[in-house]
Amino acid sequence: MDIAQIVPLMGDEELTAYQFLVTTGGATLDRLARSLGWGTGRTERVLSRLRGMRLACSEAEGRGDWTAVNPETVKLQYTKPLSVVIDAWQAQLDGIREQLDTLSGLGADGAQDGRFSPVVTIEGATDIQDALEVSAARCAKEVLAVQPLGRGAPALAQNVICQESGLIASTAGVRVLLPHLSRYNAEVRDRVERISAAGGEVRTTAASLPALIVFDRSVAFLLDGDNSDKAHMVRHAALVEFIVHMAVSAWATSVAFEPTGGTNRIPQSLTQETKTAIIRLLAAGYKDEVVARRLGIGVRTCRKYIAEVFGDLGAQSRFQAGWMVREHMLGSGPEPVATDHSVA
């Protein structure tokens, strides 16, 4: 018998009496009272409480020997009726979810009428976590995540995609796409090792994509980079397909995650594709903080690189820098994709 299993159900007196009954194999009320140095009335009250907990029993209304009841037997007596209730609640919950899923589908299909929104904004860390966990638990085939591990990425997303959390089925394949510069973050490298050890695949890209997670290509979560307490859930089939296409296209030109050998220092020089990514983000109107988050670097480092890029171009403003890059690309054609990713 495991006495520790029943400790939360009783006080010190009940535990002492129960241990005595277990050790002796049973005893009369008088013997128990003498052995423990208790009066008869006190012993009767303790045994009565144990009987109410179903942990002790006696024949002849307490006048015979009292014996301890195995806690495993008691556990079954307590849990069996609760299990029936829980099963009924689970069936009811599944029915409610199925009905709400149907309503969500109607809302997505009718979005063009202006009566429904194809995107649901979720606010509050608790609600976001609940939504992510529900989608993760129902995911059976594939998880596709972009930038959920780097600097500024929501902790909720980081926890969901790690299979060791138990939220994602072992049958689901996990693919994670990160910025090249995330290789220089020790925390990211540690999480990548754990994802890879669980069978997931992690790659890096120069593309500056927003943080997102897609479950079974049926529901996507866009993680608001400016507000960790806000996320956008997309279930509209056409929008989810577009999001998946964007992520898969970036995946096709990505490279395997390469650890940096323990160093966290980012190289002073930048590759041309990373410089171009910075300019495109700035020209699109993104703030320094968002650019840094997209590239997986700190804000101070990002501003240093922005100054370097401006110096290379001879630009005085973000708009001018963006225009110069645009003119260069139109005049010389698309830039070749860099094949050397040793420097992010």
Side-chain angles (χ1 to χ4, degrees), residues 9-344:
L9 299 175
M10 58 178 66
D12 292 339
E13 290 182 334
E14 290 79 14
L15 179 58
T16 299
Y18 186 84
Q19 289 176 320
F20 182 86
L21 294 176
V22 171
T23 303
T24 61
T28 62
L29 185 151
D30 292 339
R31 180 188 174 193
L32 182 60
R34 290 195 305 271
S35 299
L36 298 179
W38 294 348
T40 301
R42 178 185 180 185
T43 305
E44 286 180 340
R45 289 191 297 272
V46 172
L47 289 173
S48 177
R49 289 196 292 269
L50 283 175
R51 179 164 54 187
M53 298 174 188
R54 306 178 186 178
L55 291 169
C57 61
S58 173
E59 298 180 356
E61 297 298 325
R63 290 188 291 272
D65 285 348
W66 284 84
T67 57
V69 178
N70 192 307
E72 291 297 327
T73 301
V74 179
K75 185 164 62 176
L76 289 175
Q77 293 174 345
Y78 275 113
T79 59
K80 185 176 180 179
L82 288 176
S83 298
V84 174
V85 174
I86 291 173
D87 289 342
W89 284 351
Q90 185 63 55
Q92 184 178 8
L93 178 60
D94 291 341
I96 293 173
R97 282 177 174 168
E98 184 176 352
Q99 291 176 346
L100 292 177
D101 285 345
T102 302
L103 294 177
S104 297
L106 291 173
D109 294 338
Q112 65 273 18
D113 300 333
R115 295 178 299 172
F116 300 97
S117 173
V119 179
V120 177
T121 299
I122 306 173
E123 299 189 55
T126 300
D127 289 343
I128 295 174
Q129 180 173 354
D130 289 344
L132 286 171
E133 289 183 354
V134 168
S135 295
R138 302 169 77 176
C139 179
K141 297 180 180 179
E142 178 188 38
V143 177
L144 180 59
V146 175
Q147 206 175 13
L149 301 180
R151 292 176 181 267
L156 297 175
Q158 296 181 22
N159 296 333
V160 166
I161 66 170
C162 291
Q163 287 183 310
E164 63 188 24
S165 67
L167 297 174
I168 299 175
S170 59
T171 57
V174 176
R175 291 191 292 170
V176 180
L177 190 60
L178 301 173
H180 286 323
L181 296 182
S182 63
R183 290 176 286 173
Y184 299 92
N185 184 298
E187 182 180 353
V188 171
R189 293 199 300 268
D190 177 66
R191 288 184 176 271
V192 168
E193 288 182 5
R194 285 185 283 168
I195 292 173
S196 300
E201 185 177 2
V202 182
R203 299 176 71 86
T204 64
T205 179
S208 55
L209 301 176
L212 60 90
I213 303 179
V214 184
F215 298 98
D216 281 342
R217 303 198 177 199
S218 61
V219 57
F221 286 85
L222 305 179
L223 307 172
D224 196 322
D226 293 326
N227 188 348
S228 60
D229 286 339
K230 181 183 293 186
H232 311 283
M233 183 174 67
V234 182
R235 301 195 66 173
H236 190 286
L239 292 179
V240 174
E241 182 179 357
F242 174 78
I243 293 170
V244 171
H245 173 75
M246 177 183 65
V248 171
S249 296
W251 182 271
T253 58
S254 62
V255 296
F257 187 95
E258 298 177 4
T260 58
T263 177
N264 295 331
R265 185 175 180 179
I266 300 174
Q268 294 298 315
S269 60
L270 296 174
T271 61
Q272 186 59 43
E273 62 182 11
T274 304
K275 289 183 179 181
T276 302
I278 289 177
I279 290 299
R280 285 174 175 167
L281 289 169
L282 293 177
Y286 289 109
K287 298 179 181 178
D288 294 352
E289 292 79 6
V290 178
V291 174
R293 191 178 301 112
R294 290 283 188 93
L295 297 177
I297 58 179
V299 177
R300 291 180 61 184
T301 301
C302 180
R303 287 172 177 162
K304 172 186 173 183
Y305 288 166
I306 290 172
E308 181 182 331
V309 170
F310 279 23
D312 291 344
L313 295 173
Q316 301 300 317
S317 68
R318 299 178 184 217
F319 178 80
Q320 184 183 12
W323 183 261
M324 293 172 70
V325 170
R326 177 180 179 274
E327 289 295 305
H328 171 73
M329 293 181 66
L330 290 176
S332 60
E335 295 177 356
V337 177
T339 57
D340 180 11
H341 296 282
S342 60
V343 178

